[in-house]
Amino acid sequence: MEQLMQYVWKFGLFDKSELHTTDGVPFEIIDPGIINTNSGPDFFNAKIKYKDTIWAGNVELHNNSSDWYNHNHHKDRAYDSVILNVVLNKDTEIFRIDGDKINQFKLSIPDSFIKDVEFLCARAPDYPACLCSLGKIDKMYIEDWFCALSNQRLINKSKRIYELVDIYKGNWEEVFYIILSRSFGTGINSDSFERMARSLPFNYILKHLDSRLQTEALFFGQAGFLCDNFSDPYYLLLKREYGLLKTKFKLKNIDKSSWKLFRLRPNSFPQLRIAFLASLFYTKKRLPSLIIDARSLTVLRELFDLKLSSFWDKHYQFEDHSETKEKSLGTQTIDSIIINSVVPFLFAYGYRTGNEKCQQKALYFLENIPPENNKFVRMWSSNGMPVKNAFDSQAIIELQRNYCETKKCMFCRIGHKLLSQKF
């Protein structure tokens, strides 16, 4: 309830026409203050006008006045600067350490408002209640929110990249290799792809990029897929090469059980995706530089137009045969890889190195890639929200992950707009 009180106080979602303290003293809120997320009073630097005098200080919020004593604020000097105690129920007077009485204000939150908040939060995230009311909000307002969300998502991804850059001591090539590998996992196997990449230093791959067989052996071996007793000649060649390389580099592969196939389409099977990843590094020797230098989305997509070893024309994994078909990464898959690895890499690299062109290029790619096709994008689109490109669809994913799924409807601009329209 105190979180709801903070929200109501911060945005003034109550009748402010004739405010009085619990002792009948009229007052005016000049500034509600800045919310404090650390220890101490709930709001800092508030300004309250009592009659003709403006008081500057802090504001504390409680369900009951007696919580002032239950929380030992009467013994804490940090609360001596409180100029107003906002409560739902006044059950006692409160005083500072020096004995001065503190003004209190009984905050009245309408039941209808509480029900509106509960209604919004109760239905998130499967089908957010706000979707039914999007027509009440100006589309420009929502578009501004989506712009902020998409940028926030890029910033969050950049923070993760900077962590890796610090771990690998500024080796951007190694970091790109890791985040690119992760993006080949299509969500369900992303963690396994990252573990595989981090178990196989990129420097080892660079030493064997003149051989497709050895490049593939390193990837498949580290993924744990060369521990079986299959008799196929291609598999046996990979297994032999990996045995030599594993000894040479003292490698320890991840467990094959790490990989998930449940509900995956064959084109997303991890063994096939690893084949594409190995082919990408084998055929594009200077991949990070090629990514940075790519001047158009067409050129960027062409980097992922890959040809696999002939074995994969009849297989999706080592143990099964399929009808003959030359495999390729589809346009949607390529775009997904670009969205989840190339764009964040360009944005983070551009910011850290002061290369504005890289950042602009990252945003340009997002704005020119079609929107992702997932249930959340379809849900918002079918409710009248235009989703024009990947920049918009990334905003929806950020919204779902950090607001809808966590039920932070009050802190979402859409939820806030709907809640505040009555005041």
Side-chain angles (χ1 to χ4, degrees):
M1 180 57 76
E2 284 196 15
Q3 187 178 64
L4 179 59
M5 289 178 66
Q6 289 176 353
Y7 176 78
V8 170
W9 174 260
K10 177 180 178 179
F11 294 106
L13 303 181
F14 53 93
D15 185 3
K16 300 184 290 296
S17 57
E18 293 184 8
L19 298 176
H20 292 82
T21 69
T22 54
D23 290 336
V25 178
F27 71 94
E28 179 184 350
I29 302 170
I30 306 298
D31 188 333
I34 301 169
I35 195 164
N36 173 32
T37 56
N38 298 307
S39 61
D42 291 305
F43 285 84
F44 287 149
N45 301 325
K47 291 183 177 64
I48 306 294
K49 185 176 182 181
Y50 293 109
K51 297 182 179 179
D52 296 325
T53 304
I54 296 178
W55 289 31
N58 303 324
V59 173
E60 179 68 1
L61 285 78
H62 291 118
N63 289 328
N64 302 300
S65 302
S66 54
D67 290 335
W68 178 267
Y69 297 103
N70 295 334
H71 300 165
N72 289 316
H73 297 334
H74 62 297
K75 299 177 182 178
D76 191 341
R77 288 288 182 188
Y79 290 83
D80 276 354
S81 57
V82 169
I83 57 175
L84 184 67
N85 188 44
V86 179
V87 297
L88 294 179
N89 173 46
K90 181 194 172 184
D91 56 355
T92 187
E93 301 291 353
I94 64 170
F95 301 87
R96 296 186 184 88
I97 292 177
D98 61 9
D100 285 351
K101 184 177 176 181
I102 298 175
N103 287 324
Q104 299 191 75
F105 167 61
K106 184 176 180 181
L107 182 65
S108 178
I109 304 177
D111 290 340
S112 59
F113 180 82
I114 296 175
K115 288 179 181 178
D116 286 344
V117 172
E118 291 174 345
F119 175 72
L120 279 179
C121 294
R123 294 187 61 182
D126 293 335
Y127 192 88
C130 61
L131 289 176
C132 305
S133 304
L134 289 182
K136 300 177 182 179
I137 305 175
D138 189 283
K139 280 199 168 104
M140 285 289 290
Y141 180 88
I142 300 178
E143 287 175 2
D144 284 345
W145 180 219
F146 272 32
C147 183
L149 287 165
S150 192
N151 281 314
Q152 186 59 54
R153 186 162 179 79
L154 262 180
I155 291 170
N156 290 340
K157 288 183 176 182
S158 295
K159 289 178 181 177
R160 166 63 173 152
I161 292 173
Y162 298 144
E163 290 174 2
L164 290 173
V165 170
D166 291 339
I167 291 171
Y168 291 98
K169 297 178 170 44
N171 188 337
W172 284 91
E173 197 170 40
E174 186 86 28
V175 171
F176 178 67
Y177 154 66
I178 291 171
I179 62 172
L180 180 66
S181 298
R182 182 178 178 85
S183 70
F184 271 71
T186 61
I188 191 171
N189 281 308
S190 293
D191 287 343
S192 296
F193 265 95
E194 181 172 337
R195 284 200 300 274
M196 176 196 70
R198 296 183 73 161
S199 75
L200 176 62
F202 189 57
N203 186 47
Y204 296 172
I205 298 170
L206 288 174
K207 292 178 179 178
H208 293 276
L209 282 181
D210 57 338
S211 167
R212 177 185 283 271
L213 181 66
Q214 290 178 335
T215 302
E216 292 176 348
L218 281 169
F219 278 102
F220 284 118
Q222 282 307 103
F225 286 120
L226 299 180
C227 300
D228 296 302
N229 295 315
F230 302 134
S231 59
D232 184 274
Y234 170 67
Y235 181 85
L236 293 174
L237 279 174
L238 289 172
K239 188 172 183 176
R240 185 195 68 188
E241 289 295 326
Y242 177 65
L244 296 171
L245 294 168
K246 184 176 184 179
T247 301
K248 176 182 177 180
F249 294 122
K250 298 179 180 178
L251 295 171
K252 183 178 180 181
N253 58 276
I254 70 171
D255 198 282
K256 181 181 176 180
S257 63
S258 302
W259 302 94
K260 302 177 180 65
L261 277 75
F262 185 61
R263 291 183 178 175
L264 280 182
R265 295 178 180 178
N267 279 333
S268 296
F269 282 178
Q271 292 180 20
L272 184 62
R273 286 297 177 89
I274 290 172
F276 278 118
L277 185 63
S279 179
L280 177 61
F281 282 106
Y282 169 72
T283 57
K284 309 297 188 300
K285 307 292 195 241
R286 296 176 57 255
L287 187 57
S289 296
L290 294 173
I291 293 291
I292 292 171
D293 294 339
R295 295 186 177 182
S296 69
L297 190 55
T298 300
V299 171
L300 191 56
R301 284 172 171 154
E302 286 174 353
L303 294 176
F304 296 89
D305 184 11
L306 304 168
K307 185 173 178 61
L308 302 182
S309 300
S310 58
F311 172 86
W312 296 104
D313 291 346
K314 295 182 179 180
H315 297 81
Y316 287 98
Q317 32 187 1
F318 289 120
E319 53 266 45
D320 295 330
H321 283 76
S322 66
E323 61 181 53
T324 302
K325 179 184 178 183
E326 187 174 309
K327 310 298 193 300
S328 64
L329 291 171
T331 301
Q332 283 191 355
T333 299
I334 292 173
D335 284 348
S336 176
I337 291 170
I338 292 172
I339 291 167
N340 291 296
S341 61
V342 173
V343 166
F345 172 77
L346 286 173
F347 189 84
Y349 177 80
Y351 181 81
R352 181 62 68 90
T353 61
N355 188 335
E356 290 186 14
K357 287 185 178 179
C358 273
Q359 288 184 286
Q360 292 169 358
K361 193 185 298 184
L363 294 172
Y364 171 81
F365 289 149
L366 271 187
E367 291 168 353
N368 285 274
I369 294 174
E372 294 144 285
N373 182 22
N374 58 50
K375 64 179 182 179
F376 300 128
V377 173
R378 292 191 296 269
M379 181 171 64
W380 282 85
S381 182
S382 64
N383 279 275
M385 185 61 212
V387 186
K388 305 179 292 297
N389 48 40
F391 189 82
D392 290 340
S393 60
Q394 282 287 287
I396 289 174
I397 294 171
E398 183 72 9
L399 181 65
Q400 285 291 143
R401 294 286 183 264
N402 291 320
Y403 292 89
C404 300
E405 290 181 7
T406 56
K407 298 188 177 182
K408 292 183 177 178
C409 301
M410 293 188 297
F411 304 96
C412 166
R413 290 189 197 175
I414 294 172
H416 172 68
K417 193 71 171 179
L418 292 172
L419 290 172
S420 63
Q421 281 180 341
K422 297 178 182 179
F423 293 90

